């Protein structure tokens, strides 16, 4: 995880320990932030995020702040606190299953959220386009996914010229030869524009899908770094990464460094795939990475709920809607100094 948001204890002469005063301020701020996120829908161009491990203790140690709120507000604070510390099941599947299937699964399945695939270079399917509002109205949480360029280890590639012709026509193209920093920046702009076209609010997390690699190549490092940097520079959305456990640490380090360079004291959202220790009752960090906010532990399974059979991947997340801006904090409530 990243550095703690509160500095080591220091006691000024004749006063309360500085760490305790900061903790009290942090508790009050978290209470206000949690309420505001639910009732007003905070959506800031630049965001700071409280580390999930800090949320329960901060809310629990804020009795004065909570007592000042009406009963309805206390309930909402409790709800977002539980949401931010739980184990929330979700699934993803290549193509949109249809409204009827999604309604049936919302009623019968144990899943709270679903992966939302944007049209992207290596995911041409557009079946999810235009479904955001309907899914939200059904009660689904969402995880926005953008499948960018890949190394495609061991997979023969067609001539690069074909992909370049598609780009020249203004189309998206998928090819291992396009795995460059320049394409990373260009495809960040595409991800931002597509997310905005789907009417996701500012502050939404976009997960860059990075598939399994034998090694984390210099080309992928450059691409992921440029993609992350460009999303942060634009400021409307927050970059996250879906990455296999085998490659998770180096990719996390790249993304974390870009967050720090942008002046954001927060953990980037990392969605880890793979791992033999998966179970629905476990938290994402059980994937073997303390920075995991989401864990995809079961791949390519078929399940039936409400009489509807779907091929899916099964995930668990720390929050019930991994891309939701409701878990982002406004800069005025940043809990640094």
């Amino acid at each position: 995880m990243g550095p703690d948001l509160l500095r080591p204890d220091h006691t000024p002469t004749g006063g309360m320990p500085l760490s305790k005063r900061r903790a009290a301020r942090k508790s009050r701020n978290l209470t206000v932030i949690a309420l505001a996120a639910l009732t007003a829908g905070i959506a800031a161009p630049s965001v700071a995020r409280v580390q999930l491990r800090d949320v329960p203790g901060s809310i629990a140690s804020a009795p004065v702040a909570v007592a000042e709120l009406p009963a309805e507000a206390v309930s909402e604070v409790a709800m977002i606190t539980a949401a931010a510390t739980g184990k929330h099941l979700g699934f993803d599947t290549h193509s949109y299953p249809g409204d009827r299937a999604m309604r049936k699964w919302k009623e019968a399945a144990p899943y709270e959220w679903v992966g939302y695939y944007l049209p992207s270079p290596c995911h041409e399917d557009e079946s999810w386009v235009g479904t955001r509002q309907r899914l939200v109205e059904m009660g689904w949480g969402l995880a926005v996914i953008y499948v960018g360029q890949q190394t495609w280890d061991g997979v023969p590639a067609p001539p690069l010229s074909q992909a370049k012709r598609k780009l020249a026509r203004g189309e998206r193209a998928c090819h291992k030869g396009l795995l460059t920093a320049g394409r990373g920046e260009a495809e960040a702009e595409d991800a931002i524009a597509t997310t905005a076209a789907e009417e996701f609010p500012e502050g939404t997390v976009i997960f860059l899908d990075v598939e399994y690699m034998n090694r984390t190549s210099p080309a992928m490092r450059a691409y992921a770094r440029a993609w992350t940097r460009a999303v942060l520079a634009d400021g409307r959305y927050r970059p996250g990464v879906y990455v296999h456990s085998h490659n998770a640490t180096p990719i996390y380090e790249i993304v974390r460094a870009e967050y720090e360079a942008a002046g954001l004291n927060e953990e980037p959202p990392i969605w880890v795939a793979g791992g033999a220790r998966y179970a629905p009752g476990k938290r994402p960090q059980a994937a073997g990475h303390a920075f995991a906010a989401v864990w995809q532990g079961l791949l390519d399974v078929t399940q039936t709920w409400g009489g509807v059979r779907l091929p899916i991947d099964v995930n668990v997340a720390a929050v019930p809607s991994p891309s939701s801006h409701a878990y982002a904090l406004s800069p005025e409530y940043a809990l640094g100094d």
Side-chain angles (χ1 to χ4, degrees):
M1 300 291 284
D4 288 338
L5 296 176
L6 298 179
R7 292 178 179 175
D9 191 17
H10 174 66
T11 305
T13 302
M16 178 188 294
L18 184 58
S19 64
K20 290 185 178 179
R21 289 191 287 111
R22 284 176 173 160
R25 182 188 68 183
K26 178 177 176 182
S27 297
R28 291 191 298 272
N29 284 346
L30 276 169
T31 303
V32 174
I33 293 163
L35 175 60
L38 284 168
T39 59
I42 290 172
S46 299
V47 295
R49 185 181 175 92
V50 168
Q51 296 178 18
L52 295 177
R53 67 185 183 189
D54 292 337
V55 174
S58 299
I59 296 295
S61 62
V64 175
V66 173
E68 294 172 353
L69 298 173
E72 295 83 357
V74 174
S75 296
E76 289 174 333
V77 170
M79 182 172 68
I80 199 170
T81 304
T85 58
K87 294 165 283 190
H88 301 273
L89 291 177
F91 76 93
D92 61 281
T93 187
H94 179 277
S95 301
Y96 185 61
D99 290 354
R100 176 183 175 277
M102 293 305 295
R103 288 192 181 95
K104 289 287 187 180
W105 272 49
K106 194 68 185 73
E107 294 170 358
Y111 303 112
E112 298 179 64
W113 59 272
V114 64
Y116 192 101
Y117 282 91
L118 300 173
S120 45
C122 296
H123 189 92
E124 296 182 353
D125 176 79
E126 297 185 357
S127 61
W128 292 88
V129 171
T131 66
R132 184 196 68 83
Q133 186 59 39
R134 299 200 301 277
L135 289 168
V136 170
E137 289 173 354
M138 292 178 202
W140 285 104
L142 301 173
V144 179
I145 305 167
Y146 184 86
V147 188
Q149 304 299 333
Q150 310 293 330
T151 63
W152 299 129
D153 295 343
V155 179
L160 181 58
S161 58
Q162 296 179 11
K164 289 185 174 180
R165 283 196 293 271
K166 292 184 70 175
L167 293 179
R169 295 195 298 266
E171 302 173 9
R172 298 182 182 92
C174 179
H175 196 285
K176 64 175 65 180
L178 299 178
L179 194 60
T180 65
R183 288 311 307 165
E185 183 175 349
E187 289 170 4
E189 295 174 359
D190 179 52
I192 292 164
T194 306
T195 303
E198 291 297 288
E199 300 183 343
F200 281 94
E202 292 188 4
T204 292
V205 174
I206 309 172
F207 289 95
L208 174 66
D209 185 314
V210 177
E211 294 294 319
Y212 176 88
M213 301 168 284
N214 293 333
R215 66 185 183 95
T216 308
S217 69
M220 177 55 80
R221 292 171 187 265
Y223 177 89
R225 181 178 293 109
W227 190 92
T228 302
R229 183 177 298 172
V231 175
L232 288 170
D234 179 85
R236 281 176 284 176
Y237 300 112
R238 297 174 59 240
V241 179
Y242 164 97
V243 60
H244 193 276
S245 179
H246 181 68
N247 313 107
T249 297
I251 293 296
Y252 162 75
E253 291 172 349
I254 289 169
V255 177
R256 179 72 171 120
E258 291 303 318
Y259 267 67
E260 291 178 351
L264 297 178
N265 184 21
E266 59 176 289
E267 283 295 301
I270 305 296
W271 183 346
V272 175
R277 299 177 300 276
Y278 178 81
K282 293 185 177 181
R283 299 181 185 277
Q285 294 82 2
H289 301 281
F291 51 75
V294 187
W295 182 14
Q296 184 182 84
L298 293 178
L299 284 72
D300 301 322
V301 299
T302 300
Q303 294 184 354
T304 301
W305 297 98
V308 177
R309 183 178 175 87
L310 293 177
I312 65 170
D313 299 328
V314 179
N315 309 266
V316 63
V319 296
S321 188
S323 283
S324 177
H325 67 294
Y327 303 100
L329 307 182
S330 172
E332 67 184 293
Y333 294 115
L335 304 174
D337 293 331

